[in-house]
């Protein structure tokens, strides 16, 4: 599918793509450009609140799938039809990149996965650590904690225990407990 910008002039086009993908399904699906635009604007507002800038978000990708109807409906073991949309941020606008029909369990939660470009990740991390000074147990300053945190955030880890082990390996090798930092 070719990228369709989330712009008022493309409302009918996006609504038609959603109609074709959803078929007759309307509950627990994304059915209009208004919903797609709300997903993009909510995610962007949250990222801006956390310290990213609009220019740093260029290349960000959102994958969103609505939740199922809930546990009561799930007791019958039913599966429901839903829509999964993929959005990508351009220089000025979000664009709809992909729309897929999906089948989920009735008790499935909403999924909103955001992939950020490195520039946005760094801005958010800097905002999170700004004004803080970190020291190890012996009172020595840890100047490059931001770099370590960014490196750690990009590593695939199965558990928090594994993340702490990796953080320990990224420290100066003194064996200090990273939880105590």
């Amino acid at each position: 599918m070719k990228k369709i910008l989330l712009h008022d002039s493309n409302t009918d086009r996006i609504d038609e793509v959603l109609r074709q993908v959803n078929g007759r399904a309307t509950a627990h699906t994304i059915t209009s450009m208004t919903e797609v635009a709300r997903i993009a604007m909510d995610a962007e507002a949250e990222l801006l609140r956390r310290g990213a800038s609009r220019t740093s978000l260029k290349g960000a990708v959102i994958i969103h799938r609505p939740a199922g109807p809930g546990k009561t409906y799930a007791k019958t073991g039913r599966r429901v039809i839903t829509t999964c949309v993929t959005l990508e941020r351009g220089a000025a606008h979000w664009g709809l990149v992909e729309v897929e029909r999906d089948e989920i369990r009735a008790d499935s939660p909403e999924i909103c996965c955001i992939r950020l470009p490195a520039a946005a990740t760094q801005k958010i991390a800097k905002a999170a650590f700004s004004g803080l000074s970190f020291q190890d147990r012996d009172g020595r300053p840890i100047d490059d904690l931001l770099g370590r945190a960014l490196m750690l955030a990009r590593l695939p880890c199965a558990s928090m225990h594994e993340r702490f082990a990796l953080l320990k390996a990224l420290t100066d090798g003194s064996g200090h407990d990273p939880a105590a930092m």
Side-chain angles (χ1 to χ4, degrees):
M1 174 178 161
K2 188 177 176 187
K3 183 177 182 178
I4 306 171
L5 293 180
L6 300 185
H7 195 269
D8 291 338
S9 62
N10 291 330
T11 301
D12 292 337
R13 192 169 159 206
I14 291 174
D15 288 349
E16 180 58 31
V17 168
L18 291 168
R19 230 182 336 272
Q20 287 175 359
V21 170
N22 289 329
R24 295 185 324 174
T26 56
H28 317 294
T29 60
I30 299 170
T31 58
S32 70
M33 189 189 109
T34 306
E35 292 176 76
V36 175
R38 181 194 50 79
I39 292 164
M41 295 307 112
D42 288 351
E44 182 172 304
E46 179 63 21
L47 294 170
L48 292 174
R49 187 186 69 74
R50 292 180 181 258
S53 66
R54 280 191 169 82
T55 55
S56 71
L57 290 177
K58 183 180 178 185
V61 175
I62 300 171
I63 300 171
H64 182 86
R65 188 194 73 206
K71 292 188 184 287
T72 304
Y73 195 79
K75 287 182 182 178
T76 59
R78 293 189 180 175
R79 297 183 66 79
V80 294
I81 302 292
T82 190
T83 312
C84 183
V85 294
T86 303
L87 308 168
E88 183 178 17
R89 175 79 162 127
H93 297 285
W94 286 93
L96 181 64
V97 177
E98 187 175 359
V99 179
E100 294 178 317
R101 183 179 175 118
D102 202 359
E103 188 175 319
I104 59 171
R105 292 180 41 90
D107 59 348
S108 295
E110 175 182 79
I111 292 179
C112 189
C113 176
I114 302 174
R115 289 187 224 141
L116 292 176
T121 304
Q122 288 175 345
K123 284 189 175 281
I124 291 170
K126 281 183 181 180
F129 287 110
S130 70
L132 298 175
S133 174
F134 295 94
Q135 297 179 346
D136 65 12
R137 283 187 178 171
D138 298 328
R140 293 180 301 219
I142 302 173
D143 297 327
D144 62 343
L145 184 64
L146 176 61
R148 292 180 194 170
L150 289 172
M151 182 184 296
L152 182 62
R154 291 186 181 114
L155 296 174
C157 297
S159 67
M160 202 55 158
H161 176 73
E162 196 173 315
R163 283 199 187 273
F164 278 132
L166 285 170
L167 182 61
K168 192 173 190 176
L170 292 173
T171 60
D172 60 3
S174 62
H176 296 297
D177 183 3
M181 284 191 229

